[in-house]
Amino acid sequence: MTRRILMTSRLRTVDILAMGLLFLAVSLSPLTGVGRAETATAGQDAQAATQDDDDLDSNLVPLEPELTGAPPDLPSTGESTDNSTGKTVASPADASHTGSSADTSGLSVATAESSATFYNIPVVRDPAVESHIRYFNTSIRGRFEQWLLRLSRYRPLVETIFAEFGLPSDLVNLSLVESGFNPYAYSRAKATGPWQFMKGTGKVYGLRIDHYVDERRDPIKSTVAAARYLKDLHDMFGAWPLAMAAYNAGEGKVMRALHKTHGETFSDIAKTKLIRKETKQYVPRIMAATIIARNLDHYGFSQPPAPPHQFEEVAVDRAVHFRAIANASGIPYEELRLLNPELRRDATPPDDSAYQLKVPVGTGAKVMAVLDRIPSYKFPPLPSVKSHHVKNKSSQRYRVRNGDTLEKVSKRFHVPLKTLKARNNISSPVIKAGDFLLIAR
């Protein structure tokens, strides 16, 4: 059976949501969060060193250096997001939108090219944002143009999924500064895919990650996971600049910075040494990318968009390699790779009785007709798993949900109630939704 998928369809997004990507409102420790700033510390490097070598494969490519490069004229931290002046550049129509919770301190007047543009995330024109605009538009213009072209292929599906979650469409541009929307990108901390999920976070948000499949690279499923995570961060912090900072640094880092400064906005913590320089520039970087993306003609990026991400799906019940499919069907091997970046070994997994392989529109029937004649692929033996003896595993942070009790949490995580109370210095049996508990391991 084949299914034709047009990614501008709302129905497809609903189908994806029904595939088991259930939202888990678990607040992760910084070392398992999406963000690179906190995960790039020595602690994260130690964690990455203990992961199996199987985390990497030949299809992955390191993050482009321009994604982490800083503009040569970047102002000092104290110059950005000044609290004393400002005007929000946002649409009045967005007052009831999810993205309307704006951290509006420190916003400056927009210049002519964007003064008529209404954004649905908070956008500022301060020295840091201006510096990043010049960096994208001049210093790395060719590279940024490649990112825009690559994102244009997936933008309709990302905007459709974000709309399903009530997220502002301009938030799509976060993926530009994460990876240039490259499904094969990975960081030195082993964050992977267009949304740069760490393995732990990806699994929490329902993504399959194993020897054969890594759904962090799937443009659709990873976008659904990113939408859930971003919505969770916005629910936690109430403002998009803080949610963006937490996406980069980890929610624990941002929460602690706010607590120590008694702050309420991104501006409050950006002036301190409580968050890393990368995170301080991450939010202005997204704003700069958004300004250019919404004013392409003004900045001279008038390229035609890439062909949209469209495909049909064929159910495959065994391991079949892309090259064998290409030889039997005439579909170019590279096109199969482009449509199925989540398949780590360029073959369907052996343990799935109905894996939905994506093929070009109009070729599903042809693949079905030749599928029985395509030989099964035999994977090389799995690498041996080394046992790691860890004396003191890190505790997990859990965000209390409505209806939770200490007894329920104790049973859910198999932690004695007495230990749970002692670990969190709790004497009362009452816990509140939104509180955090340390779960001793």
Side-chain angles (χ1 to χ4, degrees):
M1 184 183 73
T2 65
R3 292 192 294 167
R4 182 172 180 178
I5 310 299
L6 301 180
M7 294 325 303
T8 54
S9 165
R10 179 182 185 277
L11 178 60
R12 176 57 180 163
T13 305
V14 176
D15 287 345
I16 291 297
L17 297 182
M19 294 174 71
L21 297 178
L22 300 177
F23 174 65
L24 300 176
V26 179
S27 180
L28 303 170
S29 69
L31 292 183
T32 57
V34 172
R36 286 190 304 274
E38 196 161 10
T39 60
T41 62
Q44 178 57 44
D45 289 340
Q47 181 198 37
T50 64
Q51 293 180 327
D52 294 337
D53 292 338
D54 186 47
D55 281 351
L56 302 180
D57 57 68
S58 59
N59 287 334
L60 291 173
V61 295
L63 279 177
E64 295 159 293
E66 294 86 354
L67 285 161
T68 55
D73 60 343
L74 189 66
S76 62
T77 303
E79 291 182 57
S80 65
T81 331
D82 181 282
N83 276 331
S84 61
T85 64
K87 180 184 293 185
T88 306
V89 186
S91 171
D94 291 330
S96 61
H97 196 282
T98 302
S100 63
S101 298
D103 179 355
T104 56
S105 58
L107 306 184
S108 59
V109 180
T111 53
E113 82 279 357
S114 62
S115 60
T117 303
F118 294 130
Y119 305 94
N120 50 30
I121 60 172
V123 169
V124 311
R125 297 300 297 253
D126 65 11
V129 174
E130 296 288 355
S131 179
H132 282 291
I133 289 175
R134 288 189 293 272
Y135 181 63
F136 292 148
N137 188 41
T138 305
S139 302
I140 63 164
R141 182 179 179 86
R143 184 70 72 185
F144 192 74
E145 191 165 22
Q146 292 177 8
W147 301 345
L148 288 169
L149 180 62
R150 190 157 53 207
L151 177 58
S152 70
R153 173 178 173 83
Y154 301 101
R155 185 180 284 275
L157 79 87
V158 177
E159 290 183 345
T160 298
I161 292 171
F162 274 28
E164 289 289 331
F165 285 90
L167 299 180
S169 59
D170 286 337
L171 204 58
V172 168
N173 298 302
L174 181 147
S175 66
L176 273 178
V177 305
E178 279 289 333
S179 70
F181 212 95
N182 184 356
Y184 294 108
Y186 80 95
S187 72
R188 71 184 182 91
K190 297 191 179 180
T192 301
W195 297 97
Q196 288 293 284
F197 273 101
M198 295 294 291
K199 179 187 282 188
T201 313
K203 287 186 173 182
V204 163
Y205 282 87
L207 298 179
R208 175 180 175 178
I209 305 170
D210 56 36
H211 183 72
Y212 306 105
V213 180
D214 189 343
E215 291 180 342
R216 291 177 294 176
R217 307 180 195 179
D218 186 306
I220 301 170
K221 294 179 181 178
S222 68
T223 296
V224 173
R228 290 183 179 278
Y229 186 48
L230 285 165
K231 186 172 179 63
D232 195 26
L233 291 174
H234 187 267
D235 289 345
M236 183 181 297
F237 293 104
W240 282 119
L242 286 171
M244 294 174 197
Y247 193 92
N248 177 257
E251 55 266 44
K253 189 76 168 178
V254 173
M255 191 73 76
R256 289 192 295 273
L258 287 171
H259 177 73
K260 289 182 180 180
T261 60
H262 302 287
E264 297 181 353
T265 69
F266 174 72
S267 302
D268 293 334
I269 60 176
K271 296 176 179 179
T272 73
K273 296 182 179 180
L274 297 172
I275 59 174
R276 293 165 61 91
K277 182 178 179 180
E278 178 185 328
T279 303
K280 294 176 183 179
Q281 296 307 322
Y282 183 75
V283 175
R285 201 174 180 91
I286 294 171
M287 293 178 178
T290 299
I291 291 170
I292 295 177
R294 292 290 301 276
N295 298 276
L296 292 177
D297 289 341
H298 176 84
Y299 290 98
F301 294 101
S302 55
Q303 59 189 13
H309 187 58
Q310 298 177 353
F311 53 85
E312 293 177 357
E313 289 182 332
V314 176
V316 180
D317 61 0
R318 56 195 169 89
V320 180
H321 199 278
F322 291 169
R323 292 199 183 279
I325 299 172
N327 291 337
S329 67
I331 299 171
Y333 166 74
E334 288 299 329
E335 195 159 358
L336 291 169
R337 288 190 71 242
L338 177 66
L339 291 173
N340 298 275
E342 76 282 1
L343 293 177
R344 302 182 59 193
R345 315 295 167 185
D346 292 349
T348 54
D351 56 353
D352 198 317
S353 60
Y355 190 83
Q356 298 297 324
L357 177 72
K358 294 179 277 293
V359 298
V361 173
T363 66
K366 180 190 294 186
V367 174
M368 287 295 295
V370 301
L371 193 57
D372 289 341
R373 303 200 300 270
I374 300 176
S376 296
Y377 178 68
K378 186 176 181 180
F379 286 94
L382 289 173
S384 58
V385 179
K386 299 178 182 178
S387 59
H388 299 284
H389 299 285
V390 182
K391 292 183 178 179
N392 296 310
K393 277 193 175 181
S394 299
S395 296
Q396 177 183 353
R397 296 174 68 248
Y398 173 70
R399 187 185 184 196
V400 177
R401 294 176 285 185
N402 288 327
D404 276 343
T405 63
L406 284 174
E407 290 78 8
K408 288 182 180 179
V409 175
S410 171
K411 291 179 181 178
R412 184 179 303 149
F413 292 98
H414 306 289
V415 177
L417 182 59
K418 185 177 180 181
T419 302
L420 187 63
K421 286 184 174 181
R423 191 76 176 85
N424 292 275
N425 195 26
I426 294 175
S427 56
S428 169
V430 178
I431 53 176
K432 298 178 182 179
D435 286 348
F436 295 97
L437 296 175
L438 291 176
I439 308 298
R441 290 299 195 188

